[in-house]
């Protein structure tokens, strides 16, 4: 009797466990909340003016732009965010408060969180309130090439390179089909304008249209990539970033002879110079071992600042402006960041601090 009772109990426990596991397996998978895509914009737009990196603007000694700040113990003995426990987190309590005097963002700010934003914050906290570094500091990862597999589609052979796989995969998901291939006249014109910025001559156009070889298109691409006009076309983009100009700016705006730097950029692009060398030469070409004239010319990148030649200028003030310009341009061109806000104060949109801004300033000012 005792043995059979134990068997019944153990069987019941097993059935209950199996039932619970079955119910759990039927639940939809939990989608992780992406901090940079979903949380950072909410905090930046609604919270970080008062609870961000700027110490002078910070309220209630609460910092929400970092995990350490958001979870730091407060007078109540716990942080504003308790990872995994939204119901016990002060942040969630305040953004869902019924009383205007307690609810965040403050009524006076004119900002309110939507129910969807509140739900995203709740799920984020329950998932551990994981922060992520600014996207500009995340190394890009090569995505897997989509396998286009649609038995009903008759256009699977449309893909000619891996990029086409991404395009076709999305088109099929949207129940769309690729556009018909352009005629050879149109393809030739597009290639010329895209790669060298100039239209084809009638002779060039006829040559491509009458080329019956299977790789005629690829041959035209190689021809245009080898053209000196290729570097001229694409150097314009970089020279804009480098604030290239043939005059000094300001009211006199006298001519300057900095065209050797322009030509260096064109040659670098035409020779397909690797980006790491392209970077090093422009930022520190004169510091390379046994630098060549070509290496020194590359450092013209930081000699493109405007120069004030007005009679009453303060030379030290003008140099300060030039250094600030160099810091800002370095941030925009090489870091993908707008660092200029930190010239004056720590800023919610700048992952760099004011101290770091002037650290880079000091480095450039001593070279």
């Amino acid at each position: 009797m005792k043995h059979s009772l134990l068997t019944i109990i153990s069987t019941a426990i097993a059935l209950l466990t199996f039932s619970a596991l079955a119910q759990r397996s039927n639940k939809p998978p939990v989608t992780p909340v992406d901090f940079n895509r979903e949380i950072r914009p909410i905090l930046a737009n609604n919270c970080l003016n008062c609870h961000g990196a700027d110490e002078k603007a910070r309220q209630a000694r609460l910092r929400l732009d970092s995990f350490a700040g958001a979870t730091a113990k407060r007078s109540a003995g716990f942080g504003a965010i308790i990872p995994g426990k939204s119901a016990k987190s002060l942040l969630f309590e305040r953004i869902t408060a019924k009383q205007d005097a307690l609810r965040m963002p403050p009524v006076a700010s004119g900002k309110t969180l939507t129910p969807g934003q509140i739900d995203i914050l709740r799920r984020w906290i329950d998932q551990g309130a994981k922060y992520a570094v600014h996207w500009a500091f995340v190394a890009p990862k090569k995505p897997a090439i989509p396998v286009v597999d649609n038995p009903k589609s008759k256009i699977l052979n449309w893909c000619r390179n891996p990029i086409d796989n991404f395009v076709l995969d999305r088109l099929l998901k949207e129940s769309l089909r690729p556009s018909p291939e352009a005629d050879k006249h149109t393809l030739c014109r597009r290639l010329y304008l895209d790669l060298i910025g100039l239209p084809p001559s009638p002779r060039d156009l006829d040559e491509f249209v009458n080329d019956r070889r299977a790789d005629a298109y690829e041959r035209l691409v190689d021809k245009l990539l080898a053209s000196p006009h290729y570097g001229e076309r694409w150097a314009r983009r970089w020279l804009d970033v480098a604030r290239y100009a043939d005059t000094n700016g300001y009211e006199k705006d006298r001519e300057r002879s900095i065209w050797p730097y322009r030509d260096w950029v064109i040659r670098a692009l035409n020779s397909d110079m690797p980006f790491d060398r392209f970077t090093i030469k422009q930022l520190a070409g004169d510091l390379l071992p046994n630098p060549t004239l070509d290496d020194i010319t590359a450092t013209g990148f930081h000699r493109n600042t405007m120069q004030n030649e007005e009679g009453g200028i303060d030379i030290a003030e003008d140099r300060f402006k030039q250094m600030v310009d160099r810091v800002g341009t370095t941030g925009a061109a090489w870091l993908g960041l707008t660092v200029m806000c930190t010239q004056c104060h720590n800023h919610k949109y700048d992952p760099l601090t004011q101290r770091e801004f002037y650290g880079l300033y000091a480095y450039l000012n001593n070279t």
Side-chain angles (χ1 to χ4, degrees):
M1 179 68 180
K2 184 177 180 181
H3 178 74
S4 61
L5 181 61
L6 288 174
T7 303
I8 293 172
I9 293 174
S10 61
T11 303
I13 293 174
L15 289 172
L16 289 171
T17 303
F18 177 79
S19 176
L21 289 172
Q23 291 179 6
R24 185 181 302 174
S25 64
N26 289 331
K27 290 183 179 180
V30 177
T31 303
V33 176
D34 187 306
F35 178 82
N36 276 324
R37 185 180 296 275
E38 301 177 271
I39 300 301
R40 189 187 292 278
I42 297 176
L43 296 180
N45 291 329
N46 299 279
C47 309
L48 300 188
N49 268 335
C50 300
H51 303 296
D54 192 346
E55 296 179 3
K56 296 180 180 179
R58 195 178 302 153
Q59 302 293 319
R61 301 189 302 278
L62 173 59
R63 184 170 181 175
L64 294 175
D65 63 328
S66 68
F67 181 84
T71 59
K73 287 187 177 180
R74 302 177 61 76
S75 56
F78 48 84
I81 292 178
I82 302 177
K85 300 178 180 179
S86 62
K88 295 185 177 181
S89 294
L90 177 62
L91 172 68
F92 191 74
E93 178 185 324
R94 296 299 294 271
I95 65 176
T96 57
K98 302 299 182 183
Q99 298 179 8
D100 290 349
L102 296 177
R103 190 170 58 253
M104 291 289 165
V107 175
S109 70
K111 299 181 178 181
T112 56
L113 296 179
T114 66
Q117 290 174 323
I118 292 174
D119 183 62
I120 290 174
L121 288 169
R122 176 189 62 77
R123 290 190 288 116
W124 172 62
I125 296 173
D126 286 339
Q127 292 177 14
K130 295 179 181 179
Y131 280 72
V133 297
H134 191 279
W135 64 265
F137 293 105
V138 178
K141 295 182 179 179
K142 190 174 183 178
I145 299 173
V147 177
V148 183
D149 184 12
N150 188 336
K152 297 181 181 180
S153 175
K154 298 180 181 180
I155 54 174
L156 296 184
N157 60 350
W158 178 81
C159 299
R160 299 180 183 178
N161 59 64
I163 296 177
D164 290 343
N165 286 60
F166 288 93
V167 175
L168 183 58
D169 181 60
R170 180 60 182 270
L171 287 175
L172 294 177
K173 288 178 181 177
E174 301 293 337
S175 299
L176 298 173
R177 295 176 64 85
S179 299
E181 182 172 308
D183 61 82
K184 295 190 75 172
H185 290 81
T186 303
L187 286 175
C188 184
R189 181 176 173 82
R190 285 177 181 172
L191 266 184
Y192 268 81
L193 292 176
D194 283 347
L195 294 182
I196 67 172
L198 299 170
S201 68
R203 179 180 176 181
D204 292 327
L205 186 59
D206 290 340
E207 183 180 313
F208 174 67
V209 170
N210 296 320
D211 189 343
R212 303 303 177 187
R213 289 174 292 187
D215 61 346
Y217 183 84
E218 288 76 9
R219 286 173 176 270
L220 181 57
V221 171
D222 290 338
K223 171 186 172 180
L224 295 178
L225 290 177
S227 167
H229 298 309
Y230 171 82
E232 295 167 0
R233 153 85 161 127
W234 291 101
R236 289 171 50 210
R237 302 291 188 268
W238 183 256
L239 292 172
D240 283 344
V241 173
R243 70 268 191 256
Y244 174 84
D246 289 307
T247 59
N248 286 333
Y250 293 111
E251 47 45 275
K252 286 188 174 59
D253 203 23
R254 290 174 176 154
E255 292 184 359
R256 63 169 63 167
S257 293
I258 199 169
W259 56 264
Y261 169 73
R262 176 201 64 197
D263 290 359
W264 180 89
V265 175
I266 293 173
R267 291 196 304 273
L269 291 172
N270 278 331
S271 65
D272 199 21
M273 181 181 291
F275 189 68
D276 56 349
R277 286 177 55 203
F278 186 73
T279 299
I280 293 170
K281 285 176 178 288
Q282 290 184 78
L283 293 181
D286 56 323
L287 300 179
L288 292 172
N290 303 314
T292 64
L293 180 60
D294 192 67
D295 296 332
I296 295 173
T297 301
T299 64
F301 175 83
H302 269 317
R303 293 185 174 87
N304 281 305
T305 51
M306 292 200 303
Q307 184 174 342
N308 194 341
E309 298 177 293
E310 188 180 357
I313 67 166
D314 185 307
I315 295 178
E317 179 187 24
D318 188 53
R319 180 172 177 81
F320 171 80
K321 292 179 180 178
Q322 291 185 21
M323 293 304 112
V324 167
D325 173 70
R326 292 179 182 182
V327 174
T329 304
T330 301
W334 305 108
L335 303 179
L337 294 172
T338 53
V339 303
M340 296 302 287
C341 294
T342 54
Q343 176 191 347
C344 300
H345 53 82
N346 294 327
H347 195 276
K348 65 176 183 175
Y349 289 120
D350 280 322
L352 300 183
T353 64
Q354 190 177 27
R355 184 179 185 86
E356 289 168 326
F357 178 93
Y358 283 101
L360 182 55
Y361 174 100
Y363 173 79
L364 293 176
N365 194 37
N366 287 328
T367 58

